[in-house]
Amino acid sequence: MIDLLLGLQWGDEGKGKIVDVLTKNYDIIARFQGGPNAGHTLIFDGNKHVLHTIPSGIFHERAINIVGNGVVIDPVIFKNEIDNLSGYNIDFKTKLLISRKAHIILPTHRLLDAASEKMKGKSKIGSTLKGIGPTYMDKTGRNGLRIGDLEMKDWKERYQNLTRKHLNMISFYGVELDFDLEELEKDFFTAIDALKELTFIDSEEYINQALAKGQSILAEGAQGSLLDIDFGTYPFVTSSNTTAAGACTGLGVAPNKIGDVFGIFKAYTTRVGSGPFPTELFDEDGKTMAKVGHEFGATTGRPRRCGWLDLIALKYAVQINGVTQLMMMKGDVLSGFEVLKACTSYHYKGKDIFHFPYNIEGENVKVNYTEFEGWKEDLTQMTDAGELPKNLKDYIAFIEDFVGVKVHIVSVGPDRKQTIMV
Ligand code: GDP
Ligand code: IMO
Ligand code: MG
């Protein structure tokens, strides 16, 4: 069986931490979508690592890590990630396998991302500018270059043709961009040479063989359900399916091979980049969440916007993904709040509604909150569910009841060890 671990909000829920915690139960960890727009943080033994493309199982000796066909790879960032792990004695050739069908982010994809955002001005998406959108556009437009192409003789010619086209597109945008393509290409081709030292596989074949042998696989989602290209807050989304179905197309597994779907959420909500966020706070409470939760993007360093938990959005994400188990992160950040709030309905077009509507932007949606008594206790040293404060347990019980799925993990700090199974 293949289990899925997916973010249920706007990303940064703590997926990297939990994948690392769960890896001991699996033979294979596989990324299935997104690219280096992701930043997955792992903290253990006093060290912190942020992974962008490499699956979060890489620090465990047993697991094989696969970058699936649905992922888009920036060779330069990928090489840096590998170089940064040089102290760990990891045999990347055997532990990190890359799908031949994964698409490659070219230097000009990043430039196109920047040009598109510049042209949008105020209505920009707030992209991480890693070239994600343009690379997926070339994939669906049937122009992309894939990892498997690197094994073909004419790949450089194809690179040059596509790059030439991109440069024309950039001049079409008519915005000022400062870049030195020669310099960018130098890094790119050095990284391509390094990439070629790794192992390329037909990952759908490998994964299905593994499943047939009874091996266990955990698929590691990137971003979150509200950034899904179909179901997120379009157009303020990413360019891939971040939801459960994305794991089928991004790895080549059939829906009937999926076991558990772990849905991970913060005890409050954050968002980086632009787009609607009905429960966003602009007051001291929001500032406290940002400060205590160290809410800065792991990829771009931008401050994350903070707000209360949105249970309408959470229920929507649980439904679309078929979540079987919930994991609640960062409850420790809420210690000390007198009162907590969670959105339990929206006021939309003159009436209260209990589902996630088409347009949650600005004036369309007003949030109705349910209030909860907070707790004072510091959670970060707790190791057993029995120690958790009653008010936190009540908060969790309300969430479980509202969305209809049980919470199985409560995370009380960023370290691998600060994880309570309930
Ligand atoms: P991901 O993209 O879903 O892997 O999440 P990120 O790594 O981008 O962001 C999560 C941030 O919260 C990281 O800085 C983690 O170290 C941190 N973190 C994860 N779980 C907890 C938790 O339970 N409590 C606290 N205080 N921090 C956490
Ligand atoms: P992880 O895996 C949070 C956001 C960007 C922007 C929008 C589009 O760490 O949870 P893109 O670069 O895809 O064109 O950006 O999506 N975004 C993320 N926000 N966590 C992420 O990944 C994100 N990946 C993209 O901030 O608003
Ligand atoms: Mg992140």
Side-chain angles (χ1 to χ4, degrees):
M1 278 299 191
I2 173 162
D3 296 335
L4 317 182
L5 184 133
L6 308 168
L8 300 182
Q9 297 162 317
W10 278 291
D12 301 332
E13 296 87 352
K15 297 174 291 292
K17 169 183 162 159
I18 295 298
V19 169
D20 173 55
V21 168
L22 295 180
T23 296
K24 60 180 185 308
N25 305 331
Y26 292 92
D27 300 303
I28 297 171
I29 308 296
R31 276 277 305 270
F32 60 89
Q33 48 69 234
N37 48 350
H40 295 180
T41 314
L42 285 67
I43 300 183
F44 55 88
D45 302 338
N47 293 316
K48 171 174 158 172
H49 298 280
V50 180
L51 299 173
H52 301 288
T53 324
I54 298 177
S56 300
I58 198 71
F59 294 102
H60 294 255
E61 210 164 315
R62 187 170 84 106
I64 298 290
N65 291 264
I66 297 179
V67 179
N69 58 279
V71 177
V72 291
I73 299 175
D74 183 327
V76 179
I77 296 178
F78 200 42
K79 178 180 181 300
N80 276 341
E81 283 186 71
I82 290 173
D83 291 348
N84 287 342
L85 300 182
S86 58
Y88 278 88
N89 206 16
I90 297 167
D91 181 6
F92 288 103
K93 184 109 187 139
T94 57
K95 299 291 299 283
L96 181 61
L97 312 178
I98 304 164
S99 172
R100 288 197 174 86
K101 293 195 172 76
H103 279 246
I104 302 174
I105 302 176
L106 309 188
T108 42
H109 281 130
R110 269 182 281 149
L111 298 175
L112 278 168
D113 218 354
S116 165
E117 285 284 78
K118 255 197 158 166
M119 203 175 84
K120 284 188 171 174
K122 264 194 173 158
S123 55
K124 69 175 182 183
I125 307 295
S127 165
T128 61
L129 301 178
K130 303 294 174 195
I132 306 297
T135 307
Y136 279 115
M137 280 163 76
D138 269 340
K139 175 178 178 175
T140 52
R142 296 158 298 178
N143 297 310
L145 283 175
R146 303 190 288 179
I147 290 292
D149 295 337
L150 299 176
E151 296 170 325
M152 296 184 182
K153 279 205 186 77
D154 68 342
W155 97 265
K156 267 209 171 135
E157 199 183 317
R158 291 179 53 196
Y159 165 86
Q160 270 147 5
N161 288 341
L162 190 53
T163 295
R164 206 171 308 121
K165 182 180 159 194
H166 288 165
L167 292 172
N168 284 332
M169 287 164 72
I170 290 164
S171 57
F172 167 79
Y173 274 112
V175 293
E176 285 268 319
L177 273 194
D178 199 18
F179 63 91
D180 178 347
L181 187 60
E182 221 173 283
E183 198 58 33
L184 293 172
E185 287 189 332
K186 213 172 90 204
D187 288 348
F188 179 74
F189 287 112
T190 306
I192 289 282
D193 287 342
L195 196 61
K196 282 173 152 175
E197 296 297 311
L198 298 174
T199 307
F200 302 160
I201 58 166
D202 295 331
S203 55
E204 63 283 11
E205 179 64 20
Y206 185 100
I207 285 169
N208 281 292
Q209 292 278 356
L211 287 170
K213 279 188 279 188
Q215 290 196 321
S216 56
I217 305 178
L218 178 64
E220 172 180 358
Q223 290 80 54
S225 300
L226 303 178
L227 289 170
D228 182 277
I229 183 73
D230 282 283
F231 301 106
T233 46
Y234 192 90
F236 301 100
V237 293
T238 191
S239 298
S240 63
N241 281 116
T242 60
T243 43
C248 295
T249 54
L251 293 173
V253 294
N256 61 357
K257 298 286 193 307
I258 293 174
D260 270 312
V261 180
F262 305 125
I264 174 165
F265 68 102
K266 279 179 186 165
Y268 48 101
T269 309
T270 63
R271 170 162 210 172
V272 217
S274 334
F277 179 177
T279 62
E280 184 168 12
L281 290 169
F282 301 96
D283 60 5
E284 281 309 310
D285 284 342
K287 284 188 194 132
T288 304
M289 288 170 188
K291 188 159 171 256
V292 180
H294 302 292
E295 295 296 358
F296 292 94
T299 295
T300 58
R302 291 177 292 176
R304 295 179 182 141
R305 300 153 64 191
C306 296
W308 296 118
L309 184 61
D310 185 338
L311 285 174
I312 296 294
L314 193 70
K315 196 171 175 179
Y316 171 74
V318 163
Q319 174 178 278
I320 280 172
N321 291 307
V323 171
T324 61
Q325 295 191 22
L326 285 170
M327 298 166 175
M328 191 177 93
M329 313 300 287
K330 297 193 117 168
D332 55 296
V333 174
L334 296 184
S335 291
F337 280 84
E338 290 289 332
V339 174
L340 305 178
K341 295 182 189 178
C343 164
T344 44
S345 65
Y346 293 139
H347 196 72
Y348 183 74
K349 293 189 177 167
K351 56 177 191 228
D352 289 341
I353 60 162
F354 299 87
H355 71 278
F356 200 73
Y358 180 72
N359 188 344
I360 61 160
E361 269 176 58
E363 297 303 298
N364 293 301
V365 154
K366 219 176 98 337
V367 177
N368 297 321
Y369 286 109
T370 298
E371 295 195 352
F372 304 84
E373 250 179 72
W375 56 89
K376 295 256 176 312
E377 294 87 336
D378 174 10
L379 312 181
T380 58
Q381 306 304 315
M382 295 183 182
T383 52
D384 190 274
E387 295 173 77
L388 297 174
K390 176 175 179 304
N391 287 351
L392 170 59
K393 284 187 188 154
D394 288 349
Y395 185 60
I396 293 173
F398 186 92
I399 296 167
E400 291 177 332
D401 195 46
F402 197 93
V403 306
V405 182
K406 290 268 175 223
V407 171
H408 286 257
I409 286 181
V410 175
S411 173
V412 292
D415 194 278
R416 196 189 256 176
K417 290 201 181 110
Q418 292 170 301
T419 311
I420 299 178
M421 306 290 171
V422 294

